[in-house]
Amino acid sequence: MSQATPVAKQVLVLGASSEAARAVKELLALGYKVLWVSGDELPSNGLDSPALAKYANCRLYALEGHVGRFVSHFLHQGQRLALSTSAIIVATGNERYFPAERYGLELSSLVWTTSQVKEQLKKPLPQSVLAFRDKRILLLLDWSGETSKELVSESFSLAGELCERCRSEVYFFYRDLTVDSPGWEQRTRELRDKGVVFCRYGEPEVTVGEAAVSISYLEGTVEGDLLVLPEAVRPRGDTAELAEILQVRLGEDGYFQELNIRKYRAGLSARKGIFFAGRCHMDCDASEAESDALQVVAAVDALLGQGALEPEEVIAYVDPSKCIRCLTCVRTCPHAAVQVVEYEDMDVVAARVDELACWGCGACASNCPVQAIEMVGQEMPAWVQGV
Amino acid sequence: MGDHQKIVVMACKHSAGEALRELQREGWALPDGVEWVELPCGGSLDELHILRAFEAGAAAVLVLACYHGACRSLDGSRWAEKRVQAIQEMLAEIGIEQDRLEFRNIAPTMPADLASWVEALHRRVLAPAGE
Amino acid sequence: MREHPSVIVVGGGIAGLTAALNLAERGAHVTLVERDSVLGGNARTVCCKAIAGECQLCGGCLLGERLELIVSSPVELLLETSVARVERDNGGFLVYLEGAEKSSPLRAQAVILATGFDHVDAHTKGPYGYGILPSVTTGEEMERKIKEEGQGAYDALGLHKVAFIQCVGSRDEHVGRGYCSQVCCRYALRLARLLKARQPELEITIFKMDIQNSGRDFQKTWQAAQEEGIRIVAGLPAVIRRSSEEPRRATFVYDDILAGQIVQEDFDLVVLSVGMQPRRDAEQVAELFGINQDRYGFFAVGDDLISTIVPGVFVAGTCQAPRSMAEAAAHAQQAAEACYRYLQELAL
Ligand SMILES: Cc1cc2nc3c(=O)[nH]c(=O)nc-3n(C[C@H](O)[C@H](O)[C@H](O)COP(=O)(O)OP(=O)(O)OC[C@H]3O[C@@H](n4cnc5c(N)ncnc54)[C@H](O)[C@@H]3O)c2cc1C
Ligand code: SF4
Ligand code: SF4
Ligand code: SF4
Ligand code: SF4
């Protein structure tokens, strides 16, 4: 079996989300060299270190190599840029939008999104508070059928802030009260204590009038001064393209898909050395996304922290002299560990399995039409060989 | 029972293998005549493996792979099921009873089912018919 | 980082195993202390809920791999052992054990508590007749029965109508458990789908207050269940009685809030979806290590949900709050990260 291969403690973090920032910070603290790259602007949150290189407004267009030796190719300010890292953390976050069609409502002075309320509350006093002072605010959750934990959590926070800072009278309309994370049940109770009124609706009827809004539901009709609707989240527009470049799969819902429940370690993708953190792969609020980033860093450090990588006990090996370059193995490998390459010493072009990237699942071997692939390290009874 | 007769279980290490080891920790052992062949993943099952098992005198072959969607290597359990189906069609053509080859999905949390399947197969295939 | 700092992990459930494995992979010397004679904790009785060849992603599979990894890892395993006394020692801890193997105290720079949860005792919900009515069982028993007897454990019992009753012993401030147990909606729904897939003619109703459904993954399961004909009723019964017509059945009256009517119905099997509560000895463990408990009795933590008031003592998994296996594992990995950083700073 092969020796351990030395690897550099160097990681690429993709994305400008708060979970990306958390991962960067944690990696730096563990002594990693970090390359932080985003297609957008990067947050200016004082993260600076000689071990950190930041590249904003950068587009990834190709990825070469495997775990321990990835080379990512970017376009940066019209220049090509190639960065070598041992692992990649994808933390590109998600995208928000207002599902106007599903709500069947236009935004107006009486109909706001949660984000608009949040922005207003961030403005300087007294502007921020006066907009909601002593008003009756109807927060309508779960109506578009598109709730995400992130927006429920934000709606909780907003309701509390409106009660406390603005003395608003907040009605919280819901279909099923969402208590999906540790501590949320307590959060809803605290809101009740602050005066938030919780109303469960079946099929609510929403009316937006000239100066007031109203919601009719199971128990009657409530009139208010402002209707607040949560936005929705969806995968970022570039997720599919990114997945293709990284050769990782997307789930049915269009988000990145972690390897699966079986091997569940934080954000493990099907490809060794590529990890997902936060809202680009899971439904969570901002603080859970940052916790997720920490777990991912723990997983990255478990992989790279000892400075060397070893192959799995069982791995595939292609006999280049038998291979007919049909690409079946390249297509079937679920872990993107095979490529067709030039074997320089033998002067042939054939499939080659990266021994560090290979999980040893054998899908390539059982699909190869000419039996060019052998599973090294797999013990089989003699009769399998026809002996 | 003819002494060349055996049952071959071809089992994914991550589901059936873990279930077997849970059974073994509790003191259960594979019945005599059952040969356990552990695969790194259902995906590595080759049609040839199954045919060779029959050649080598298997009275029955049981293939165990993860539930679809739980396979560590994504499609491995589906590959395994496809291979079994292909061989079953072949067996049908050459007139061998199809129930000599069985495919089942299994999870590591199913030691009880594993034991009962293996025991039932053992009773059906290896135990003498009228006792 | 100091050469091989020592960490003690207390509790060998999914959380303790995960934290121990991560720290060991990163070069720490880890001792795992488990009072039971086997590892795995409560996850050992979680059954598989796959239907028609497809995994329902219940999380049950998470345990097996870890049980195998831990024995081949350098983690030192002490079974049938628990903590008797803890002393502060030069910035670290001196932990005296009682149990099968070791008698000399262990020295460690940090401790991760992963002592898990106890099942809510369904007897405490007296009006539901658990322990008296033969047709009233709990989700825990159903999981265990399927795990022990196999996927078909309920196939031949002649069931026609099954009810699941949610939030039994959870979300009730009056009994000191004003929290959601997080897992019982998920396991109940998946168990219901499992039963329905095996016995399509079975009529299954889930009675709930609210269902925790905000997760986009869970919404799908939820919809699928309804499409398969599982009925969901918003409203819980106050009392469950023996049916007057058929003594082996259970009967109850409920207010179907959304339909706006009061209904009486008989069932062959009533499954109480019991949740989690703090370990009954959580107070003693908290005292040993000098940490606090929250208002419900779970170990109290700072904003990171990991650190306690004692530097060097971290908590992982369901001893902090109810969680599913995947969530407990994720939390434990986060605890391992916090612990590792602590050790690193200690070494400077
Ligand atoms: C009815 C029911 C069904 C469930 N179904 C599912 C499901 O389908 N899917 C899912 O993901 N989750 C499910 N869960 C949740 C799952 O059981 C937990 O998430 C998981 O077991 C928590 O693991 P843990 O390591 O935190 O705690 P535990 O499993 O409780 O492990 C704690 C360990 O610590 C040991 N210990 C305790 N105190 C001490 C001490 N003082 N000294 C030494 N050792 C100690 C215990 O013996 C135990 O081994 C279910 C829970 C319930 C109640
Ligand atoms: S065994 Fe083959 S298919 Fe499986 S990971 Fe390795 S190269 Fe890919
Ligand atoms: S499947 Fe076999 S023949 Fe085809 S490219 Fe791969 S190794 Fe070569
Ligand atoms: S135990 Fe759960 S996660 Fe594993 S295969 Fe069964 S349903 Fe899927
Ligand atoms: S998970 Fe569901 S059943 Fe359990 S306490 Fe929460 S809401 Fe109730």
Side-chain angles (χ1 to χ4, degrees):
Chain A
M1 274 265 103
S2 341
Q3 297 291 305
T5 311
V7 288
K9 289 173 76 173
Q10 193 154 317
V11 176
L12 172 70
V13 178
L14 280 176
S17 61
S18 65
E19 52 267 37
R22 193 70 193 83
V24 169
K25 198 172 156 205
E26 192 72 10
L27 284 165
L28 290 172
L30 290 173
Y32 278 74
K33 214 175 148 204
V34 184
L35 302 161
W36 189 9
V37 180
S38 164
D40 315 320
E41 291 299 326
L42 283 171
S44 50
N45 51 1
L47 271 183
D48 278 306
S49 144
L52 173 63
K54 296 199 251 185
Y55 302 93
N57 304 311
C58 234
R59 195 174 69 83
L60 179 73
Y61 66 88
L63 177 69
E64 284 181 311
H66 296 280
V67 59
R69 306 173 302 290
F70 286 116
V71 182
S72 324
H73 296 275
F74 293 93
L75 276 177
H76 180 52
Q77 296 168 347
Q79 303 278 315
R80 283 170 197 279
L81 182 72
L83 302 176
S84 300
T85 57
S86 300
I88 299 174
I89 297 178
V90 183
T92 45
N94 57 16
E95 187 173 276
R96 283 190 180 207
Y97 68 105
F98 181 70
E101 259 173 43
R102 237 170 297 121
Y103 279 130
L105 283 179
E106 294 290 316
L107 295 175
S108 68
S109 59
L110 294 179
V111 183
W112 290 30
T113 66
T114 36
S115 288
Q116 285 175 309
V117 176
K118 216 163 106 179
E119 283 308 307
Q120 184 72 25
L121 284 169
K122 273 195 211 142
K123 287 183 181 165
L125 287 164
Q127 236 182 318
S128 55
V129 165
L130 283 182
F132 311 109
R133 181 105 190 191
D134 295 325
K135 289 203 169 146
R136 182 184 281 180
I137 295 170
L138 313 184
L139 233 161
L140 179 54
L141 234 75
D142 203 13
W143 189 32
S144 67
E146 280 287 296
T147 30
S148 68
K149 283 175 137 189
E150 187 178 356
L151 285 150
V152 176
S153 175
E154 260 180 52
S155 305
F156 282 162
S157 304
L158 277 187
E161 209 175 334
L162 288 167
C163 280
E164 277 188 337
R165 282 182 60 202
C166 315
R167 294 202 321 241
S168 315
E169 198 186 333
V170 180
Y171 279 73
F172 203 105
F173 288 88
Y174 67 98
R175 181 174 283 140
D176 274 304
L177 192 56
T178 46
V179 283
D180 209 358
S181 295
W184 283 25
E185 179 84 16
Q186 291 93 309
R187 277 172 86 182
T188 61
R189 200 171 17 256
E190 280 160 26
L191 289 177
R192 280 201 180 95
D193 293 345
K194 284 179 188 158
V196 173
V197 184
F198 283 85
C199 312
R200 186 215 295 261
Y201 59 78
E203 281 308 319
E205 206 171 292
V206 179
T207 321
V208 180
E210 292 288 300
V213 288
S214 71
I215 298 180
S216 300
Y217 72 115
L218 284 174
E219 287 162 12
T221 301
V222 181
E223 269 209 2
D225 304 302
L226 186 66
L227 175 67
V228 178
L229 299 170
E231 292 160 297
V233 293
R234 62 184 168 204
R236 279 174 56 103
D238 56 6
T239 307
E241 189 195 331
L242 194 54
E244 205 174 305
I245 294 169
L246 298 174
Q247 293 187 59
V248 292
R249 286 196 201 185
L250 294 183
E252 277 168 31
D253 52 12
Y255 290 90
F256 289 110
Q257 193 181 27
E258 56 274 32
L259 183 54
N260 77 30
I261 198 93
R262 174 63 44 81
K263 259 275 175 182
Y264 186 94
R265 310 273 182 72
L268 215 61
S269 81
R271 223 183 147 181
K272 275 206 181 160
I274 298 184
F275 298 81
F276 306 127
R279 286 164 284 191
C280 69
H281 78 120
M282 61 191 251
D283 185 21
C284 60
D285 69 9
S287 73
E288 287 172 327
E290 289 180 31
S291 303
D292 190 49
L294 293 178
Q295 303 151 39
V296 167
V297 170
V300 169
D301 193 45
L303 183 75
L304 303 177
Q306 306 302 305
L309 287 177
E310 275 179 60
E312 301 278 330
E313 280 166 29
V314 176
I315 55 171
Y317 168 77
V318 179
D319 181 344
S321 63
K322 288 191 192 159
C323 169
I324 55 166
R325 301 190 295 277
C326 69
L327 295 178
T328 305
C329 54
V330 178
R331 277 195 309 271
T332 47
C333 176
H335 306 293
V338 207
Q339 276 164 320
V340 171
V341 298
E342 205 183 320
Y343 287 68
E344 276 162 18
D345 44 343
M346 299 165 82
D347 197 25
V348 289
V349 173
R352 165 141 66 198
V353 174
D354 186 277
E355 60 171 27
L356 294 179
C358 174
W359 284 81
C361 71
C364 56
S366 67
N367 279 292
C368 174
V370 296
Q371 276 94 45
I373 307 178
E374 184 196 344
M375 297 307 295
V376 181
Q378 183 180 345
E379 283 170 31
M380 286 295 245
W383 53 257
V384 170
Q385 268 74 47
V387 186
Chain B
M1 162 169 104
D3 30 55
H4 65 285
Q5 290 269 11
K6 63 178 176 184
I7 293 170
V8 172
V9 184
M10 301 206 157
C12 163
K13 167 183 177 198
H14 301 283
S15 45
E18 287 173 12
L20 175 69
R21 284 181 285 281
E22 177 161 349
L23 284 172
Q24 287 168 337
R25 282 194 293 271
E26 289 162 8
W28 186 86
L30 286 165
D32 285 344
V34 177
E35 183 172 352
W36 184 269
V37 179
E38 197 144 305
L39 303 170
C41 167
S44 71
L45 178 73
D46 204 309
E47 286 165 25
L48 204 63
H49 296 163
I50 304 175
L51 293 175
R52 288 265 161 81
F54 285 119
E55 268 174 33
V61 176
L62 172 61
V63 174
L64 300 172
C66 299
Y67 279 100
H68 305 318
C71 167
R72 188 192 72 156
S73 294
L74 310 177
D75 309 315
S77 56
R78 292 183 209 276
W79 289 121
E81 188 170 16
K82 257 176 76 174
R83 308 262 187 264
V84 170
Q85 278 166 357
I87 300 286
Q88 268 167 341
E89 280 162 27
M90 200 193 282
L91 292 182
E93 276 170 31
I94 57 176
I96 295 181
E97 312 90 301
Q98 281 184 65
D99 66 355
R100 287 181 59 192
L101 175 59
E102 234 181 278
F103 174 85
R104 285 187 188 268
N105 298 107
I106 187 170
T109 43
M110 289 166 57
D113 293 275
L114 175 62
S116 70
W117 295 338
V118 170
E119 282 162 8
L121 193 61
H122 188 263
R123 271 196 307 276
R124 176 162 70 82
V125 181
L126 291 191
E131 287 300 291
Chain C
M1 179 153 189
R2 189 187 301 186
E3 278 306 296
H4 303 303
S6 295
V7 181
I8 295 176
V9 176
V10 185
I14 191 91
L17 291 170
T18 305
L21 280 169
N22 182 265
L23 287 168
E25 282 171 44
R26 299 165 80 178
H29 181 270
V30 185
T31 309
L32 182 66
V33 177
E34 166 61 56
R35 70 173 168 205
D36 214 336
S37 58
V38 283
L39 295 169
N42 282 305
R44 275 185 302 137
T45 51
V46 170
C47 69
C48 175
K49 302 165 196 77
I51 45 177
E54 295 280 337
C55 164
Q56 277 207 72
L57 296 176
C58 81
C61 285
L62 288 170
L63 182 63
E65 189 209 19
R66 283 171 172 77
L67 289 177
E68 306 211 330
L69 287 173
I70 201 87
V71 280
S72 57
S73 79
V75 173
E76 193 177 339
L77 298 173
L78 296 178
L79 297 180
E80 295 181 74
T81 305
S82 57
V83 177
R85 190 156 57 90
V86 182
E87 283 171 14
R88 296 309 305 241
D89 162 55
N90 190 18
F93 304 87
L94 200 57
V95 178
Y96 293 80
L97 302 171
E98 59 188 4
E101 283 178 46
K102 231 174 206 160
S103 52
S104 61
L106 292 177
R107 218 172 283 278
Q109 277 79 51
V111 175
I112 295 183
L113 295 177
T115 50
F117 71 93
D118 274 331
H119 291 280
V120 167
D121 181 0
H123 289 99
T124 54
K125 188 89 182 169
Y128 282 176
Y130 174 75
I132 298 165
L133 303 179
S135 46
V136 177
T137 182
T138 67
E140 184 212 347
E141 285 175 350
M142 182 171 265
E143 291 255 10
R144 185 187 297 271
K145 190 173 161 72
I146 295 174
K147 174 80 197 282
E148 284 171 3
E149 295 173 23
Q151 302 299 101
Y154 285 86
D155 288 1
L157 302 182
L159 301 176
H160 302 288
K161 290 182 73 176
V162 176
F164 284 82
I165 300 185
Q166 298 307 107
C167 303
V168 175
S170 304
R171 305 187 62 194
D172 187 351
E173 201 64 70
H174 301 300
V175 295
R177 287 195 289 275
Y179 54 83
C180 162
S181 286
Q182 304 293 327
V183 291
C184 16
C185 279
R186 297 180 229 184
Y187 78 65
L189 206 45
R190 291 189 169 107
L191 286 172
R193 291 186 68 197
L194 174 66
L195 295 182
K196 186 83 183 163
R198 300 189 66 95
Q199 307 174 64
E201 68 300 338
L202 205 60
E203 284 176 43
I204 303 181
T205 313
I206 299 181
F207 294 87
K208 54 149 197 169
M209 285 204 256
D210 304 289
I211 202 115
Q212 44 107 325
N213 74 342
S214 69
R216 81 178 164 239
D217 308 328
F218 194 62
Q219 266 167 0
K220 271 186 266 162
T221 317
W222 194 226
Q223 256 161 9
Q226 277 166 299
E227 280 159 21
E228 289 155 14
I230 292 168
R231 186 170 62 126
I232 317 286
V233 173
L236 299 179
V239 185
I240 301 177
R241 294 210 175 81
R242 203 181 293 276
S243 164
S244 51
E245 282 149 37
E246 164 61 83
R248 265 172 305 153
R249 303 184 98 194
T251 191
F252 56 80
V253 175
Y254 59 90
D255 182 359
D256 188 341
I257 301 171
L258 293 177
Q261 55 181 340
I262 305 251
V263 191
Q264 170 161 8
E265 218 172 322
D266 281 10
F267 295 92
D268 303 300
L269 186 67
V270 178
V271 187
L272 307 181
S273 294
V274 290
M276 307 186 188
Q277 66 165 65
R279 285 275 178 201
R280 294 184 175 89
D281 64 353
E283 195 179 339
Q284 286 92 293
V285 176
E287 222 163 79
L288 277 175
F289 289 92
I291 65 170
N292 290 335
Q293 290 172 277
D294 67 15
R295 59 193 288 202
Y296 304 116
F298 294 106
F299 295 144
V301 286
D303 286 341
D304 63 354
L305 303 182
I306 297 290
S307 316
T308 64
I309 52 160
V310 179
V313 177
F314 304 91
V315 297
T318 52
C319 61
Q320 190 268 319
R323 293 188 158 82
S324 69
M325 288 167 65
E327 288 160 349
H331 189 244
Q333 179 118 325
Q334 205 191 322
E337 179 61 21
C339 178
Y340 190 85
R341 283 286 302 285
Y342 173 82
L343 296 171
Q344 194 184 33
E345 270 157 35
L346 211 61
L348 290 179

